[in-house]
């Protein structure tokens, strides 16, 4: 007996982009509705100067990032395997957009164009690995994939991309951010 996954409805790539950009807009509006002092922490000049000279414990950082990213990945893989996957995917894309909109808006309000540069540097180079690690799940849902063995194979392959993304996030990204912050 062939095991299959089945989705009655699917999201189109266009509707996913709309949800993502609606989330970005919601994040921006959320920040604009708050008091400026509500976001005084992470994008303050004091914090950024401290981070620029901080000695990073890569082992502890890997444990933290690994736990966080593996949890996200496990949740995404589980959500992609249920019949409500298109709706869950839409909700996740909206929340991801809201997170990005909030971070970019806070950094811009606090630091101007320098804040946008810091946000962009904060996702490089690990983002190049996280896109394929997480990106196969929306593609699977859009194409209405139905083979459980293929889904499991893609989940394992995606995990290896996730692992390389975590390694670059822990080893290269702090060095890049520290170099940028030292030059600002």
């Amino acid at each position: 007996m062939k095991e299959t996954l089945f989705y009655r409805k699917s999201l189109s790539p266009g509707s996913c982009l709309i949800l993502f950009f609606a989330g970005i807009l919601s994040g921006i509006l959320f920040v604009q509705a708050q008091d400026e002092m509500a976001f005084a922490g992470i994008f303050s000049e004091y914090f950024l100067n401290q981070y620029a000279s901080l000695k990073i414990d890569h082992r502890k950082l890997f444990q933290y990032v690994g736990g966080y990213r593996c949890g996200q990945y496990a949740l995404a893989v589980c959500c992609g395997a249920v019949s409500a996957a298109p709706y869950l995917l839409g909700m996740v894309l909206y929340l991801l957009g809201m997170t990005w909109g909030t971070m970019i808006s806070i950094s811009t309000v606090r630091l101007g164009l320098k804040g946008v540069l810091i946000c962009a540097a904060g996702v490089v180079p690990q983002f190049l690995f996280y896109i394929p690690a997480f990106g196969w799940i929306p593609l699977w849902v859009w194409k209405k994939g139905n083979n459980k063995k293929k889904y499991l194979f893609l989940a394992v392959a995606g995990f290896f991309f996730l692992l390389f993304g975590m390694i670059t996030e822990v080893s290269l990204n702090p060095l890049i951010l520290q170099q940028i912050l030292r030059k600002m």
Side-chain angles (χ1 to χ4, degrees):
M1 180 175 191
K2 185 178 179 183
E3 296 182 25
T4 62
L5 297 171
F6 180 74
Y7 307 115
R8 292 184 185 174
K9 296 187 180 203
S10 184
L11 288 171
S12 69
S15 60
C16 286
L17 282 174
I18 290 171
L19 285 169
F20 180 71
F21 286 116
I24 288 176
L25 182 61
S26 297
I28 292 169
L29 292 175
F30 172 74
V31 169
Q32 297 304 317
Q34 302 298 317
D35 182 25
E36 186 178 327
M37 292 309 296
F39 305 109
I42 192 166
F43 287 110
S44 68
E45 291 287 337
Y46 174 76
F47 175 80
L48 295 174
N49 289 334
Q50 292 295 317
Y51 186 82
S53 61
L54 184 68
K55 182 175 178 355
I56 305 291
D57 183 351
H58 293 287
R59 190 178 51 109
K60 286 185 180 180
L61 184 59
F62 187 79
Q63 289 174 346
Y64 174 76
V65 169
Y68 188 73
R69 298 287 182 236
C70 286
Q72 288 176 325
Y73 189 71
L75 182 63
V77 168
C78 290
C79 287
V82 298
S83 60
Y87 302 110
L88 293 172
L89 176 64
M91 182 178 69
V92 166
L93 286 171
Y94 177 81
L95 292 174
L96 180 65
M98 190 169 180
T99 302
W100 282 25
T102 302
M103 290 301 291
I104 291 172
S105 187
I106 291 171
S107 66
T108 304
V109 166
R110 301 286 299 163
L111 302 168
L113 190 56
K114 183 168 67 168
V116 175
L117 178 65
I118 292 169
C119 281
V123 296
V124 175
Q126 70 270 18
F127 204 67
L128 299 173
F129 293 104
Y130 289 152
I131 288 175
F134 287 93
W136 69 269
I137 297 170
L139 290 174
W140 181 266
V141 173
W142 291 332
K143 302 279 185 183
K144 297 182 181 181
N146 60 8
N147 186 327
K148 282 189 178 183
K149 288 181 183 178
K150 194 179 225 182
Y151 190 81
L152 182 61
F153 172 76
L154 291 171
V156 170
F159 179 77
F160 284 106
F161 279 100
L162 179 75
L163 184 62
F164 290 127
M166 290 186 307
I167 290 169
T168 58
E169 183 173 3
V170 168
S171 59
L172 294 177
N173 187 261
L175 299 173
I176 292 170
L177 274 174
Q178 285 179 332
Q179 290 302 317
I180 288 173
L181 291 172
R182 287 177 188 149
K183 292 180 185 197
M184 291 185 151

